[in-house]
Amino acid sequence: MQFDIITIFPKIFNSYLNESIIKRAQKNKKIKINIVSLRDFTDDKHKKVDDKPYGGGAGMVLMAEPIIKALSKLSLDKGRKKEGLNKTKIVIFSAKGRQFNQKIAYDWAKKYDRIILITGRYEGIDERVKTILKADEISIGPYVLTDGDVAAMIVISAVSRLIPGVIKLESLEEESHWNLLLKKEK
């Protein structure tokens, strides 16, 4: 499984992704994590990634153009077969999105070999991004965060542990959510 994270603060992930189970999963090549700095895809000298919402509204949102450029750089269509990455999920984090849960984590671990996580800041992400990319808008709970970076870490943790070989199967079988998932699958 490959996780690509598009963020304006890539250093936030250093500590979390380089410790414990996630570190071991990367070392054992069960998962690959690629962090993409959104500021690398701007054209101005200040590396500006935010602007007023298209169509009006309060606050600032991440602009569509740098996000689209970042996705293009990730070569969603070119080279994916060569890398063996055929099934890709694009996720945008938003408090108004579908609430992430164990069932979604389980489904993603089974269905996809690449998950692209676009983390927002400020008032969120330009709405056109979701439409253009056909992204899944996900919330990690019934509350508002200052960013989507923590949400990305939660998704990586929840999905990674369900990939065979990341943790012992016995650990999963002892969880309350595991038996519920297996019953729904039958």
Side-chain angles (χ1 to χ4, degrees):
M1 169 74 73
Q2 178 170 323
F3 296 96
D4 294 290
I5 306 164
I6 298 175
T7 178
I8 61 173
F9 295 111
K11 291 179 184 175
I12 284 176
F13 295 92
N14 289 346
S15 176
Y16 182 76
L17 298 177
N18 291 302
E19 298 290 338
S20 191
I21 294 169
I22 302 295
K23 177 182 178 179
R24 192 169 51 245
Q26 291 177 85
K27 182 181 173 189
N28 294 333
K29 301 189 184 319
K30 300 295 180 184
I31 65 171
K32 179 180 178 186
I33 300 174
N34 177 38
I35 301 172
V36 178
S37 176
L38 189 59
R39 293 187 192 280
D40 291 345
F41 299 93
T42 61
D43 295 325
D44 70 308
K45 67 178 182 178
H46 300 292
K47 305 256 181 224
K48 184 179 175 190
V49 294
D50 62 321
D51 202 354
K52 293 178 181 172
Y54 182 77
M60 303 291 272
V61 296
L62 292 182
M63 296 185 295
E65 186 178 13
I67 295 171
I68 302 301
K69 285 181 178 179
L71 262 291
S72 179
K73 177 72 173 166
L74 289 174
S75 304
L76 287 179
D77 295 319
K78 299 174 188 169
R80 281 178 46 218
K81 299 229 188 259
K82 183 175 121 185
E83 296 175 26
L85 301 172
N86 300 315
K87 298 176 186 169
T88 299
K89 177 79 167 168
I90 301 173
V91 176
I92 294 174
F93 295 105
S94 167
K96 64 183 181 180
R98 174 172 65 121
Q99 193 159 330
F100 185 72
N101 58 35
Q102 189 70 15
K103 170 118 176 53
I104 293 171
Y106 182 72
D107 289 345
W108 290 1
K110 283 181 56 176
K111 292 179 185 177
Y112 300 103
D113 52 24
R114 184 179 201 180
I115 300 175
I116 299 173
L117 306 167
I118 303 170
T119 69
R121 281 274 166 175
Y122 317 118
E123 293 296 318
I125 297 171
D126 186 317
E127 288 288 326
R128 295 174 291 177
V129 172
K130 179 183 172 192
T131 304
I132 292 167
L133 300 176
K134 296 178 179 79
D136 196 354
E137 195 168 22
I138 294 292
S139 168
I140 60 158
Y143 42 81
V144 179
L145 300 172
T146 57
D147 60 74
D149 297 321
V150 172
M153 291 179 216
I154 289 169
V155 167
I156 290 169
S157 176
V159 174
S160 292
R161 62 191 313 280
L162 298 170
I163 295 169
V166 171
I167 64 173
K168 293 179 182 175
L169 181 61
E170 299 84 39
S171 297
L172 294 174
E173 290 172 343
E174 292 176 3
E175 295 175 348
S176 59
H177 289 293
W178 185 256
N179 290 329
L180 294 174
L181 290 172
L182 292 179
K183 286 179 186 175
K184 287 181 182 179
E185 245 187 33
K186 292 180 181 179

